[in-house]
Amino acid sequence: CIRDRSGPYRVTNYNSGSYPSWHNFKYQYKVLKQENKLLPTETVDLYKGGVIGQIPLFPSCPREGDREDRECFQKRMQEHIKFNFRYPEAALRQGIQGTVLVKFTIDKTGAIKNIATDSPHPLLTAEALRIVSLLPKFQPAMENGSPVSIPYSIPIYFKLDTNK
């Protein structure tokens, strides 16, 4: 099986014009040793056209094209964290700070699944998990017009102002 990762190609989004996109094409060949040739056989995962790899979106974000979708997603994620963020009182008193990396899957329905964290302290972990538990159900990621599950990770920073 030979994989051709070529591009970029120009993909047209009818809402915002064209943008560059990379695609994976898989080809399968039979090797004819005596003739020193490759004979094409059945194509694996034949590319059927359409936009590949649309990211998940917050419910309030319209699909407008790759760049706009990413900007809207990032903006809404930052707003969500800012609005819901509460520094844990016990962590404030103890001077605990650090970064919690939260990893999860946005499944085919847009739901959050398989949450895991990498955290310097359980108090920070609990707050990061609370923030993620308040995320809305997303518009799922799409590939070739079908919803797909994708992994996502986000750092949540807990930093104390030491100038006071």
Side-chain angles (χ1 to χ4, degrees), residues 7-47:
Y9 298 96
R10 301 300 300 174
V11 176
T12 299
N13 179 309
Y14 298 106
N15 295 319
S16 64
S18 65
Y19 59 93
S21 180
W22 293 83
H23 301 284
N24 252 340
F25 297 96
K26 297 176 187 175
Y27 302 98
Q28 195 167 358
Y29 295 89
K30 182 189 289 185
V31 177
L32 303 175
K33 289 183 182 179
Q34 288 182 329
E35 293 89 2
N36 196 21
K37 291 183 179 179
L38 293 176
L39 179 65
T41 60
E42 180 180 338
T43 302
V44 180
D45 293 335
L46 183 63
Y47 177 65

Side-chain angles (χ1 to χ4, degrees), residues 53 89 113 125:
E89 276 296 320
K113 304 283 184 185
T125 302

Side-chain angles (χ1 to χ4, degrees), residues 43-114:
T43 302
V44 180
D45 293 335
L46 183 63
Y47 177 65
K48 296 176 178 75
V51 177
I52 295 180
Q54 291 178 316
I55 68 166
L57 290 176
F58 275 77
S60 59
C61 292
R63 287 241 181 251
E64 295 183 318
D66 191 53
R67 183 179 60 236
E68 293 86 356
D69 291 355
R70 290 176 192 283
E71 287 171 2
C72 189
F73 185 90
Q74 290 299 337
K75 180 180 177 187
R76 296 291 186 270
M77 184 63 79
Q78 289 169 355
E79 289 171 352
H80 174 82
I81 292 169
K82 184 178 178 182
F83 180 78
N84 292 290
F85 185 89
R86 306 287 181 265
Y87 212 112
E89 276 296 320
L92 279 171
R93 285 193 306 276
Q94 296 175 44
I96 299 168
Q97 57 184 348
T99 302
V100 178
L101 181 62
V102 184
K103 304 171 200 170
F104 52 90
T105 300
I106 301 173
D107 75 6
K108 293 178 181 185
T109 69
I112 302 295
K113 304 283 184 185
N114 308 320

Side-chain angles (χ1 to χ4, degrees), residues 110-125:
I112 302 295
K113 304 283 184 185
N114 308 320
I115 303 170
T117 61
D118 183 9
S119 175
H121 196 278
L123 290 170
L124 304 182
T125 302

Side-chain angles (χ1 to χ4, degrees), residues 123-158:
L123 290 170
L124 304 182
T125 302
E127 175 59 10
L129 290 173
R130 186 188 71 78
I131 292 168
V132 169
S133 75
L134 297 171
L135 283 167
K137 189 170 184 178
F138 292 95
Q139 296 176 51
M142 303 292 282
E143 187 160 331
N144 287 327
S146 299
V148 292
S149 297
I150 66 158
Y152 188 79
S153 63
I154 186 163
I156 299 178
Y157 303 98
F158 293 82

